[in-house]
Amino acid sequence: MQLKLTRPICFFDLETTGTNVAKDRIVEIAILKVYPNGNKESKTWLVNPEMEIPPQVVAIHGISNEKVANEPTFKQLSKEIYKMIKDSDLGGYNSDRFDIPLLAEEMLRAEIDFDMKNTVSVDVQTIFHKMEKRTLEAAYKFYCDKSLVDAHSAEADTLATYEVLLSQLDRYPELENNIKKLSEFTTRKQSVDFAGFIVLDEEGEEIFSFGKHKGKKVHAVLENEPGYFGWILNADFPLYTKKVLTQIKLSKLNNKLG
């Protein structure tokens, strides 16, 4: 089974300093770019996170502070990484909930206007969980009948994720070999920002999914309580959430002016 592509898709995996999207940083990123003609291009970078990697995290992925001390920072690598992915859709394992949100944060911190408006994503973990409910190692064994050597190595995990998706397409005839359809299948909810603080209601309008305004329309809250916008911008929310909220506010303002 080969992926039917109308444009490239970049499968990628991150190793990080932790799991907090707003605060943690990338220490390794691997990208496997698959082109519509079947050609592939892969790159892996070690990254200086400019912060301490906790010992318990080093124990998981084996990337120590000493190993990345002399590596470039994400900001130094950001243009090269963005150039590789900007024309592509994205694929990964648990990528919709973690890798893409964290990559977006790093890009915005590096002053690159990362946006997913014209990009779809395929989360291979969601396909697996909907079909079998296991881990990446188990998925690799189940679908590919291979043992995942060097698990938690970004490069090994990235290649395994790509191979698992190909095997999933072979195994499940109900899965359409189409990146947009796979993206729709792997979408858990209609989230406007990656972190899920802003989602779409049944009418397709943005609502808050948390706090005292949970379930309320975003534009109504911003209009009736202007200080709430400033509170979110100054609080510890992901940069992408703040960007989306700003876009909604400006959109409503432009509509009024128009």
Side-chain angles (χ1 to χ4, degrees):
M1 177 73 72
Q2 295 293 319
L3 282 178
K4 293 177 183 176
L5 302 174
T6 56
R7 68 188 213 140
I9 181 169
C10 284
F11 293 90
F12 77 104
D13 185 71
L14 307 177
E15 302 302 336
T16 66
T17 60
T19 58
N20 187 314
V21 169
K23 294 181 178 179
D24 281 304
R25 302 289 190 269
I26 295 170
V27 298
E28 186 181 32
I29 177 171
I31 299 175
L32 173 65
K33 187 170 187 176
V34 183
Y35 292 88
N37 64 4
N39 289 346
K40 301 180 189 70
E41 174 188 0
S42 63
K43 288 188 179 181
T44 302
W45 298 267
L46 281 171
V47 185
N48 183 337
E50 301 181 276
M51 67 180 289
E52 196 77 8
I53 309 172
Q56 64 270 27
V57 178
V58 175
I60 294 173
H61 54 49
I63 300 173
S64 65
N65 291 287
E66 294 75 20
K67 189 172 183 179
V68 295
N70 296 317
E71 297 295 335
T73 64
F74 187 86
K75 185 166 187 176
Q76 291 170 325
L77 294 168
S78 58
K79 289 182 180 178
E80 182 182 0
I81 293 170
Y82 184 65
K83 183 179 179 181
M84 189 171 182
I85 68 174
K86 67 179 181 179
D87 65 339
S88 307
D89 293 319
L90 297 176
Y93 197 86
N94 194 32
S95 50
D96 283 354
R97 288 193 293 178
F98 181 69
D99 297 80
I100 292 176
L102 185 53
L103 179 64
E105 291 299 292
E106 290 277 34
M107 286 291 183
L108 292 174
R109 274 192 290 267
E111 299 178 344
I112 288 180
D113 191 21
F114 183 81
D115 205 303
M116 290 285 289
K117 281 183 180 175
N118 300 312
T119 302
V120 298
S121 63
V122 178
D123 193 331
V124 174
Q125 185 195 58
T126 304
I127 295 176
F128 187 33
H129 284 183
K130 282 188 173 183
M131 298 297 191
E132 307 294 344
K133 304 189 190 312
R134 302 283 178 93
T135 62
L136 177 56
E137 288 88 343
Y140 199 49
K141 184 67 177 176
F142 181 86
Y143 289 109
C144 306
D145 197 24
K146 299 177 183 177
S147 296
L148 181 52
V149 180
D150 293 331
H152 297 297
S153 150
E155 186 173 3
D157 288 357
T158 298
L159 181 58
T161 299
Y162 170 63
E163 290 184 21
V164 165
L165 177 57
L166 297 183
S167 294
Q168 286 172 332
L169 289 169
D170 281 328
R171 180 177 289 266
Y172 306 116
E174 64 267 37
L175 286 179
E176 191 171 338
N177 191 346
N178 175 286
I179 294 301
K180 189 173 186 299
K181 294 294 185 182
L182 290 172
S183 175
E184 291 171 358
F185 185 82
T186 60
T187 299
R188 290 180 172 86
K189 60 183 178 181
Q190 288 291 84
S191 177
V192 182
D193 65 329
F194 295 127
F197 290 112
I198 303 170
V199 299
L200 296 180
D201 63 12
E202 293 179 354
E203 299 167 348
E205 292 198 47
E206 299 97 346
I207 60 173
F208 286 110
S209 67
F210 72 99
K212 65 178 183 178
H213 293 306
K214 184 175 182 179
K216 296 180 183 177
K217 296 187 187 301
V218 172
H219 68 86
V221 172
L222 296 183
E223 186 171 334
N224 298 327
E225 191 179 334
Y228 197 65
F229 176 73
W231 173 75
I232 289 180
L233 289 190
N234 291 309
D236 193 21
F237 286 91
L239 293 175
Y240 200 85
T241 299
K242 296 176 182 179
K243 176 182 177 180
V244 167
L245 192 63
T246 302
Q247 288 174 337
I248 294 171
K249 183 178 176 66
L250 290 175
S251 173
K252 297 300 177 183
L253 181 63
N254 289 337
N255 289 340
K256 280 186 176 182
L257 293 175

